[in-house]
Amino acid sequence: MGAEAASQGRGHRWPDWTSRLRPIIGWVDVEQARYALNVSIAAILALAIAFFFDLQNTYWALLTIPLIVRQQSGTMVWRSAARLAGTLLGALVAMVLVGAFAQSAPAMIAALALWIFGTGYLARLESGTDAYAYGVGGLTAMVIALDTGPNIDAAYGYALARTTETVIAIVCGFVVLLVVFPRSVEASAMETIADGRERVLKLARGALHPSRSASPQDRKAAIASLLAIHTQLRAQSFERSRKRWRLPRMTAVAHALTQVSVAAEACRFAIDHLPASDRKGQVEDERLRLAEIIDGFPERREDAERTLEDAETIKRFIEGVEPHRIIERAHRENSGSFSSLEVAALFRLRIFASALRDLLKREAALLDPSLPADEARPMSQRYRDHLAALQYGVRPMLTFVLAAGIWIASGWQTGYVYALITGALTLLLPTIVPRKVRVKAGLNIGLGYAAGAILSLALMAMLPFLDGFWGLALLLGSAIFVIYYVVGAQATLPIAIGATLMLAIGLQPSNDQSYSAIRLINTVATLALMPPTFIAAVAILFPENQAWLCRHLRRGTDKLLDGATRPKAMDQQAFFEQAVDIIGDYGNDLDTSGAKAEHLLDRAEATLLAGLEAYELRRLAADPDLPQEIAAFCPRLLSAIREAAGLSKGAQEKPEECFVALRGAIERAGTGASDGPDKARRLALLRFGAVGELLAVIVETGRLARSPAREPNVDRPAGRT
């Protein structure tokens, strides 16, 4: 079983019968060739069906294929479902708009602009491919409304044709990727999990080895990897296969990795800020022991039995730092009085080890199907930044209005194509292209247009000498294969999409085989304006530069921490998933070489820790074994967090004073025997005090402050509990 999982993680294996061909075709990128073949076969199959039914815009199917066909089946199904949902929604809206505004071009432009704004706004509030559905909804409404023009009677026909050809393209993609050349997301997800595990364990080792502390880049990479895992697992959930039993187990591993990364960060806070006088004794012994255990972990988990053995080793470590043993040791050595910072560090080491143990158990369950497994679902909650959503809606709306204004004012015959493609790509590309490469994507689409124009001209010269559909299929299919083999990789996919757009719109293959060089020239002239318009839109209209990222990250962390610390707190799981999302979305693109950006990333991570501890405070305050005078500190501690983060001003008590008062109160309440009825009380005090100490470190080091006001105070005197 372990070997099988490992082979899945390594990706494609050649079938045995191809062994004799390996020396001949060994230079071929098999995965890329298969992807290119999938796209070309699906495109030709879609055209064949459109030709058979003599649909009015057969090239529409060709436009759909490159946007839905992906190398993995689950990703394609997810994207296809989003495409179909968006097409149906856009078609319905288009018919309503045509019925209401067809006789007035300005009114129609205004109505479409509002719809584009709405779909852009809603797309920003969704994660993964779900956002693509709203982009398609905006595109479809534009296509139908602009092609219909003032002819209201044609609206239904255009809507039906658009939906039909979208369905044809989706069905053809399904046939090719799910029947002829199926490939599961699982192999890619397993590889991403392995990468995420490596990055998270690097954070874990850095938490225990001060000299190997993880850099901001390492922390960003770990979060990005974890989010990528959950996105791929969501795509895999669209698949139906005999190996589906792995999905919940892979999801459980992904959750465990996330918990380990959070526990490692909390442990780092607790240990790094121990005064020199407390960096000795049991804390140092346990730190070194856990570090030695983690250093012995293999790079990849391929043996369930070895994994369970490591889990047992971690379990024995946890037993050595059980809370009641800490209490007994403190009572024996210090007559019931011991360093609260030392206890907090031991408590964090224990929580950290528990997260590692859970990870190992879930990894073993993934390797061995006979082991019990936890039910889990991939993280999908999006931090709903409504200001960013507003900007995402306004950008394509203004771009479309400007392009439409140029078209109408100039009387440009094909200007509606410019308005349509410009508005559509300004709306669609942000849903499928990462923020860092959007400007480059615009340039690449322009390169694709140029390549597509050359290919279209060559095909126009050759196609008249070939009769029938199969000649077209051979030439066009070969051209599409070459495009997607050469530039179909993720980094250069916009070039392939641009080339396909030019082929479809410029060539417009149809049953009558009438190809117009003039139409191609007009298409080239029209589409050539799109890349600079798109680049200007993303660079001028709400540019997502470092200043933009800093503003939205600060505002987002404020909102999330406010939701976790107010009297009626938001749901804990929602807080956790949204905090991880905002760190991955905004924090991952921050250039942390500057002090301000690095502090904001630290602040976002401290917000996640402080927010989770706020939920733990409430739970512990409700423990009947905790003295009421200590439980009464819960609202005071929440107020201290808010004051430190700048969420409230004018508090009667400074945050530092609150933590000093808590230490004193716990010291007074903690005297007494270490067994009998007092044992449960002392255990509750230990846990509440440990949470308080972690919050004290977060607050007193200035990690929650709105700006990097001062250096961390690592030499503060130890408290007593």
Side-chain angles (χ1 to χ4, degrees), residues 254-270:
H255 282 297
L257 285 170
T258 308
Q259 294 295 337
V260 168
S261 67
V262 173
E265 185 69 4
C267 187
R268 181 177 70 85
F269 267 90

Side-chain angles (χ1 to χ4, degrees), residues 112-113 115-124 131-142 389 392-397 399-400 420-433 438 530 534 537-538:
L112 281 175
W115 175 241
I116 292 169
F117 167 77
T119 51
Y121 180 91
L122 293 172
R124 180 59 182 79
Y132 177 66
Y134 288 106
V136 173
L139 164 67
T140 303
M142 282 190 287
Y392 268 62
V394 169
R395 182 191 294 137
M397 180 187 73
T399 306
F400 171 72
L420 170 63
I421 300 297
T422 299
L425 289 184
T426 308
L427 175 64
L428 272 175
L429 280 184
T431 68
I432 58 179
V433 176
R438 284 177 192 158
M530 197 290 300
F534 171 78
V538 296

Side-chain angles (χ1 to χ4, degrees), residues 615-629:
Y615 290 102
E616 183 68 6
L617 271 180
R618 293 188 184 90
R619 188 185 69 80
L620 294 174
D623 186 348
D625 292 319
L626 187 70
Q628 285 301 309
E629 62 270 21

Side-chain angles (χ1 to χ4, degrees), residues 395-476:
R395 182 191 294 137
M397 180 187 73
L398 291 180
T399 306
F400 171 72
V401 169
L402 175 63
I406 294 173
W407 160 44
I408 294 175
S410 65
W412 186 6
Q413 184 176 2
T414 59
Y416 81 97
V417 177
Y418 166 65
L420 170 63
I421 300 297
T422 299
L425 289 184
T426 308
L427 175 64
L428 272 175
L429 280 184
T431 68
I432 58 179
V433 176
R435 180 183 293 112
K436 288 183 177 180
V437 295
R438 284 177 192 158
V439 171
K440 186 177 180 180
L443 294 172
N444 283 342
I445 286 178
L447 293 176
Y449 286 163
I454 295 172
L455 286 172
S456 296
L457 191 61
L459 290 175
M460 281 185 183
M462 291 185 285
L463 284 173
F465 298 99
L466 299 175
D467 293 328
F469 174 77
W470 295 112
L472 171 66
L474 178 63
L475 287 180
L476 187 58

